[in-house]
Amino acid sequence: MDRHEPEARGTALNAALRRSLTNGRSALTRRSLLRASGAGALALGGIGALSACGIPPAKRDGDTGAASDDRSAQEKTVAFSNWTEYMDTGEDEKGHPTLDAFRRRTGITVKYTEDINDNVEFFGKIKPQLAAGQNTGRDLICVTDWLAARLIRLGWAQRLDPAHLPHAYANLSAQFRTPDWDPGRAYTYPWTGITTVIAYNIKATGGRKVDSITQLLDDPKLKGRVAFLSEMRDSVGMTLLDLGKDPASFTDADYDAAIGRMQKGVDTHQIRRFTGNDYTADLSKGDLAACVAWAGDIIQLQADNPDIRYAIPSAGYITSTDNLLVPAQATHKANAEKLIDYYYEPPVAAQLAAYINYVCPVDGVRDELAKIDESMAANTLILPDKAMAAKSRAFRSLTTDEETAYEEKFAKLIGA
């Protein structure tokens, strides 16, 4: 077994994976595929299998083994793998205007592939080459924070050159600068942020605002019409915040307190169910009055239903990221860095944000986005203002033992 990433299996982790793939953040929405989360899920289809087969990981952080001969100067190309519906598209629904503009400016052709459907599946595609120290055929990939952290720990990511990233370094929003799994953003830059909020149907609540986890769990007028998410980090993270605990530095006792808080809501039937993004239909119809929700869904729902509202709790909210990363042995690293830096230029970032509607991690983009759509520029779910950004919290990285224990407790809570 790999001493750094021991295999973590069990019924709870299998349940976590099933939740993500069937109705979690890897389920298809109208505009996007939201992310499957959880390092435990990765262990099921990823590193556990490698360890069991006796395949050693690549060299660790700081080693030079992840690097490869860079052919960027001779070969004006870069292969970029991304999620479906995560790039601006032209009116013909074929081309990608920002990528086309990048090619015209730099002479670098982007081989753009939408071949990421969920993190676990994608890791399964690239792990044989990474484990063998081979090129995956991709120079740039976009993966969720927990998977990016895993690739970095295994030495399967190339350290970025700050000299090639002047716009990214200068324009990265403060709330995304210092994740515990990549301090100083040595290996990654965010593509988008994913925000967890409280959503409610103002008609179903009788005109009342719902703006805290306490209200979701204790308000008798909401009894039986409340939902929490089936993704552990989102529901537990939001509850930790409500209890006055920091999701970035909580203890086992804090975690147990959050589980106990939600368990009371289950026992009293305050909580109707734990859901993936299938909560959207029930919230829109009013069958659910309020729930823990993902901001990308809420932007979409509001376009069709004026009764859908959202709130950022005063205690704070959970945020995660999808991140750009250059895999080990990629042969066009400098070209990939140019592409990363390009998307941190505010006009380009605005064009992307206007299409995908997720949190834009680029400072200075508001005026540019307003030129495209003033309502988007004013939407704090896309461009958090300083007050909202200050409430943002990330769920800390977990050890394998923690992942196993926490998922077991959460699975028991939700009946998975």
Side-chain angles (χ1 to χ4, degrees):
M1 303 292 286
D2 174 15
R3 68 183 183 277
H4 291 270
E5 299 294 339
E7 184 176 5
R9 294 180 181 270
T11 56
L13 295 182
N14 277 285
L17 177 57
R18 286 195 301 271
R19 292 198 302 272
S20 286
L21 297 184
T22 57
N23 67 352
R25 286 197 292 180
S26 60
L28 184 64
T29 66
R30 184 158 55 95
R31 285 290 297 275
S32 62
L33 283 168
L34 291 166
R35 310 295 160 248
S37 69
L42 179 57
L44 296 173
I47 199 63
L50 288 180
S51 298
C53 293
I55 301 174
K59 295 181 180 180
R60 304 296 185 214
D61 298 3
D63 291 343
T64 58
S68 183
D69 293 335
D70 195 344
R71 304 172 190 166
S72 294
Q74 297 80 29
E75 300 173 0
K76 296 298 183 180
T77 185
V78 59
F80 180 13
S81 284
N82 204 351
W83 298 79
T84 303
E85 298 293 335
Y86 227 20
M87 177 66 73
D88 59 300
T89 301
E91 292 183 2
D92 60 0
E93 296 296 324
K94 294 180 180 179
H96 302 291
T98 56
L99 290 178
D100 294 340
F102 176 78
R103 176 184 53 76
R104 290 193 297 269
R105 181 200 294 186
T106 65
I108 298 171
T109 298
V110 181
K111 180 184 177 183
Y112 184 71
T113 308
E114 295 179 336
D115 62 344
I116 306 179
N117 293 313
D118 67 78
N119 288 289
V120 176
E121 177 185 296
F122 182 67
F123 186 75
K125 290 180 181 180
I126 63 176
K127 70 181 180 183
Q129 295 98 327
L130 293 172
Q134 299 172 354
N135 185 1
T136 67
R138 299 166 176 84
D139 301 302
L140 189 64
I141 61 176
C142 182
V143 292
T144 305
D145 43 20
W146 62 266
L147 179 52
R150 181 65 62 93
L151 293 171
I152 292 168
R153 285 197 298 270
L154 291 172
W156 291 349
Q158 295 195 45
R159 184 181 289 271
L160 301 174
D161 185 347
H164 295 165
L165 298 160
H167 295 99
Y169 181 82
N171 296 333
L172 176 61
S173 297
Q175 73 180 103
F176 298 113
R177 283 189 175 271
T178 56
D180 65 353
W181 49 270
D182 186 16
R185 290 291 180 180
Y187 293 89
T188 66
Y189 270 88
W191 180 249
T192 58
I194 302 168
T195 298
T196 305
V197 299
I198 292 176
Y200 59 101
N201 185 316
I202 193 71
K203 185 176 180 180
T205 65
R208 293 181 304 116
K209 183 178 182 179
V210 181
D211 60 3
S212 71
I213 296 297
T214 292
Q215 191 175 356
L216 286 179
L217 291 173
D218 294 342
D219 187 341
K221 294 183 179 179
L222 299 177
K223 185 173 181 178
R225 297 187 296 151
V226 168
F228 277 63
L229 291 168
S230 59
E231 294 289 349
M232 181 267 285
R233 285 165 175 75
D234 296 289
S235 288
V236 174
M238 294 290 279
T239 305
L240 283 168
L241 285 166
D242 193 68
L243 292 171
K245 304 298 182 179
D246 187 351
S249 59
F250 65 89
T251 65
D252 287 349
D254 296 334
Y255 184 89
D256 289 345
I259 291 291
R261 185 82 173 90
M262 287 184 284
Q263 185 66 58
K264 181 181 177 182
V266 171
D267 294 342
T268 61
H269 304 290
Q270 180 79 8
I271 298 176
R272 180 171 179 171
R273 62 192 180 102
F274 289 82
T275 76
N277 60 10
D278 53 320
Y279 67 82
T280 55
D282 286 344
L283 182 65
S284 188
K285 290 186 295 184
D287 292 342
L288 286 175
C291 61
V292 180
W294 292 305
D297 290 338
I298 302 311
I299 293 173
Q300 295 166 16
L301 289 178
Q302 287 180 323
D304 300 322
N305 187 342
D307 292 330
I308 301 302
R309 311 292 170 86
Y310 76 92
I312 302 298
S314 60
Y317 65 97
I318 293 292
T319 189
S320 56
T321 51
D322 283 334
N323 307 274
L324 299 173
L325 177 149
V326 179
Q329 306 304 323
T331 54
H332 303 98
K333 175 173 173 281
N335 290 345
E337 290 167 335
K338 288 180 181 179
L339 187 60
I340 294 172
D341 197 61
Y342 171 72
Y343 278 101
Y344 273 80
E345 297 178 20
V348 181
Q351 191 168 348
L352 179 67
Y355 186 83
I356 66 175
N357 295 168
Y358 280 89
V359 174
C360 180
V362 181
D363 277 343
V365 78
R366 189 175 306 277
D367 290 344
E368 296 295 336
L369 187 55
K371 295 175 185 177
I372 301 171
D373 188 320
E374 291 185 359
S375 66
M376 288 186 180
N379 192 331
T380 55
L381 295 182
I382 299 175
L383 295 180
D385 55 23
K386 289 183 178 180
M388 182 172 171
K391 295 180 180 180
S392 171
R393 298 291 183 272
F395 199 96
R396 70 171 173 82
S397 299
L398 301 178
T399 67
T400 303
D401 287 344
E402 286 176 328
E403 181 72 32
T404 302
Y406 292 171
E407 281 288 1
E408 286 178 353
K409 292 174 181 180
F410 189 69
K412 182 178 179 181
L413 169 72
I414 70 174

